[in-house]
């Protein structure tokens, strides 16, 4: 029962919340004075639209994560795409690639902020080129993760034979390794599902090697992205400190607020949504089997950031936060006035 709640109902609840919050976020962006955000509004729109698309995919393509001894695996659970097929496997990979592509959204925001404080033409007259660049970066992240997980790789052995494999795809050996545990938990045969997975020990040399290759490549993409975030953030802070004596206090304050909002926008998905999932990657390396409760948290965490992030940005930026508080205050005043009028009429 709880399993059904986590994988069938919670994604729909998160999706509903995302479709409630993100349109409000978009409305607030485009009803604010254009001079405040400039072309940055369109990057925030890109971010909000990604949240909506991600929320829908989170419902349509539900993902389950589990670990067993030295192995972890991901597979599609419930609904239309459970049966094993190449199309359904590619949907599984695309679902995971969309999570990886969220790093691209954050990266293009950091790059924009860096260019904006340097008064770059790419944030003004040539913004259409920057948006094209942003779409290409997003596609690159999506494609690289998809390629690491699915595309055919070829390795030359010392005997000059070619070994071909899908580095992130759970092969027959991995499915047999988890078969008994899978049947006990899910009541089904692991051989009947498409899976991404890794087996770090107790397997053949080829399987363990491809598992390490896949996880190292996946981790490298995330690590490089986070390093770039940190480097750009430091460079932005240094530039803002240099600008402070010459820029107006109001301008400097707003730039700092935007950077703070961007940092919050970055921290939430990394620490709230993605970090729990990393446990499923790395704990099997040490033979640590996580409890099913942790798997539930991991599955739930992947759907949270699409509606939490815009709320955090609204609360971090005073111009948005004050509008929300003013709306709530005015709404409360109108409600009290209407109630008083009704009582007097009675």
């Amino acid at each position: 029962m709880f399993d059904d709640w986590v994988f069938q109902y919670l994604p729909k609840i998160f999706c509903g919340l995302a479709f409630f919050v993100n349109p409000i976020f978009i409305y607030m962006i485009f009803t604010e004075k254009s001079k405040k955000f400039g072309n940055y509004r369109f990057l925030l729109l890109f971010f909000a639209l990604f949240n909506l698309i991600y929320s829908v995919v989170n419902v349509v393509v539900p993902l389950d994560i589990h670990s067993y001894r030295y192995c972890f695996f991901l597979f599609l659970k419930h609904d239309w795409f459970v049966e094993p097929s190449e199309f359904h496997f590619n949907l599984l990979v695309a679902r995971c690639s969309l999570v990886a592509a969220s790093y691209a959204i954050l990266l293009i925001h950091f790059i924009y902020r860096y260019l904006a404080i340097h008064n770059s033409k790419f944030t003004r007259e040539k913004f259409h080129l920057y948006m094209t660049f942003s779409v290409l970066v997003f596609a690159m992240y999506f494609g690289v993760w998809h390629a690491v997980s699915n595309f055919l790789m070829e390795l030359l052995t010392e005997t000059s034979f070619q070994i071909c494999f899908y580095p992130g795809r759970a092969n027959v050996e991995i499915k047999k390794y988890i078969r008994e545990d899978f049947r006990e938990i899910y009541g089904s045969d692991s051989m009947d599902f498409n899976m991404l997975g890794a087996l770090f020990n107790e397997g053949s040399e080829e399987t363990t090697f491809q598992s390490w290759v896949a996880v190292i490549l996946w981790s490298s993409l995330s690590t490089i992205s986070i390093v770039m975030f940190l480097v750009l953030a430091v460079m932005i802070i240094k530039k803002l400190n240099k600008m402070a004596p010459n820029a107006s206090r109001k301008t400097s304050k707003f730039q700092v607020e935007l950077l703070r909002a961007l940092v919050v926008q970055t921290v939430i998905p990394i620490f709230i949504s993605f970090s729990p999932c990393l446990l499923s990657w790395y704990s099997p390396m040490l033979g640590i089997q996580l409890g099913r409760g942790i798997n539930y948290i991991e599955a739930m965490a992947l759907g949270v950031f699409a509606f939490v992030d815009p709320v955090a940005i609204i609360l971090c930026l005073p111009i948005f936060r004050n509008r929300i508080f003013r709306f709530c205050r005015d709404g409360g005043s109108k409600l009290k006035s209407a109630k008083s009028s009704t009582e007097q009429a009675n």
Side-chain angles (χ1 to χ4, degrees):
M1 183 64 183
F2 187 69
D3 192 82
D4 290 336
W5 173 260
V6 170
F7 294 102
Q8 292 191 49
Y9 301 118
L10 277 182
K12 295 174 183 176
I13 292 173
F14 293 154
C15 183
L17 290 171
F19 270 81
F20 173 74
V21 170
N22 283 280
I24 294 175
F25 179 59
I26 294 171
Y27 172 79
M28 296 183 74
I29 293 168
F30 285 92
T31 54
E32 195 61 49
K33 293 180 181 179
S34 59
K35 291 183 179 179
K36 277 286 185 182
F37 289 96
N39 288 324
Y40 192 52
R41 295 176 299 164
F42 298 102
L43 282 184
L44 292 173
L45 174 62
F46 190 7
F47 162 72
L49 293 177
F50 171 80
N51 287 339
L52 295 177
I53 293 170
Y54 179 87
S55 298
V56 172
V57 173
N58 195 44
V59 172
V60 176
V61 189
L63 191 69
D64 197 354
I65 306 170
H66 189 61
S67 62
Y68 170 69
R69 293 178 62 82
Y70 292 99
C71 175
F72 84 87
F73 55 92
L74 303 89
F75 68 102
L76 299 183
K77 189 179 181 67
H78 299 303
D79 296 330
W80 304 291
F81 309 115
V82 174
E83 292 79 10
S85 71
E86 285 301 313
F87 175 71
H88 292 170
F89 177 73
N90 278 279
L91 274 180
L92 169 60
V93 176
R95 168 73 173 81
C96 297
S97 299
L98 201 60
V99 176
S102 62
Y103 282 99
I105 300 289
L106 299 172
L107 180 60
I108 60 179
H109 279 249
F110 272 103
I111 295 174
Y112 182 93
R113 291 259 51 84
Y114 177 79
L115 293 175
I117 61 174
H118 284 81
N119 200 26
S120 170
K121 290 183 179 180
F122 288 104
T123 63
R124 295 180 287 110
E125 295 93 341
K126 297 183 179 180
F127 181 71
H128 62 286
L129 294 178
Y130 188 79
M131 279 305 299
T132 302
F133 164 77
S134 300
V135 172
L136 291 175
V137 170
F138 180 86
M140 182 193 71
Y141 266 75
F142 185 92
V144 166
W145 212 97
H146 198 283
V148 169
S149 305
N150 191 20
F151 287 177
L152 191 64
M153 293 183 62
E154 297 182 351
L155 297 177
L156 290 177
T157 64
E158 293 180 357
T159 57
S160 298
F161 290 107
Q162 290 186 331
I163 302 176
C164 302
F165 57 87
Y166 299 88
R169 189 170 194 165
N171 59 18
V172 173
E173 182 180 0
I174 292 176
K175 291 181 179 181
K176 286 183 177 179
Y177 182 82
I178 64 172
R179 197 171 195 174
E180 184 177 343
D181 183 67
F182 192 92
R183 191 183 300 277
E184 182 178 337
I185 293 175
Y186 300 103
S188 303
D189 191 345
S190 58
M191 306 299 289
D192 297 333
F193 289 83
N194 292 308
M195 292 183 184
L196 287 172
L199 178 59
F200 301 106
N201 200 357
E202 299 183 337
S204 67
E205 183 177 346
E206 180 182 342
T207 296
T208 54
F209 176 73
Q210 82 174 53
S211 297
W212 281 99
V213 167
V215 172
I216 288 172
L217 290 175
W218 289 337
S219 302
S220 297
L221 185 63
S222 302
T223 303
I224 292 170
S225 300
I226 293 172
V227 170
M228 287 192 289
F229 299 159
L230 293 173
V231 170
L232 286 167
V234 170
M235 293 171 67
I236 292 169
I237 291 170
K238 287 183 178 179
K239 180 63 177 178
L240 288 175
N241 290 335
K242 289 182 180 180
M243 290 172 53
N246 300 320
S248 67
R249 183 178 178 183
K250 188 176 181 180
T251 301
S252 298
K253 183 180 179 182
F254 186 60
Q255 290 295 336
V256 171
E257 289 170 353
L258 286 175
L259 178 60
R260 185 188 302 122
L262 179 54
V263 170
V264 171
Q265 180 185 351
T266 304
V267 167
I268 286 175
I270 290 177
F271 287 94
I272 295 180
S273 295
F274 301 156
S275 294
C277 299
L278 294 180
L279 290 173
S280 66
W281 288 14
Y282 300 127
S283 58
M285 293 179 181
L286 304 174
I288 300 173
Q289 183 170 349
L290 301 175
R292 189 63 182 145
I294 299 296
N295 300 141
Y296 290 142
I297 293 173
E298 292 165 346
M300 288 187 289
L302 286 174
V304 170
F305 75 88
F307 76 90
V308 173
D309 242 3
V311 171
I313 296 172
I314 289 171
L315 295 178
C316 279
L317 291 174
I319 55 173
F320 288 162
R321 184 172 65 241
N322 293 337
R323 286 178 66 181
I324 291 293
F325 290 161
R326 186 165 57 249
F327 175 81
C328 294
R329 186 172 59 251
D330 293 345
S333 299
K334 290 179 181 179
L335 184 63
K336 288 181 180 179
S337 298
K339 186 176 181 181
S340 299
S341 300
T342 303
E343 290 176 351
Q344 290 174 4
N346 294 333

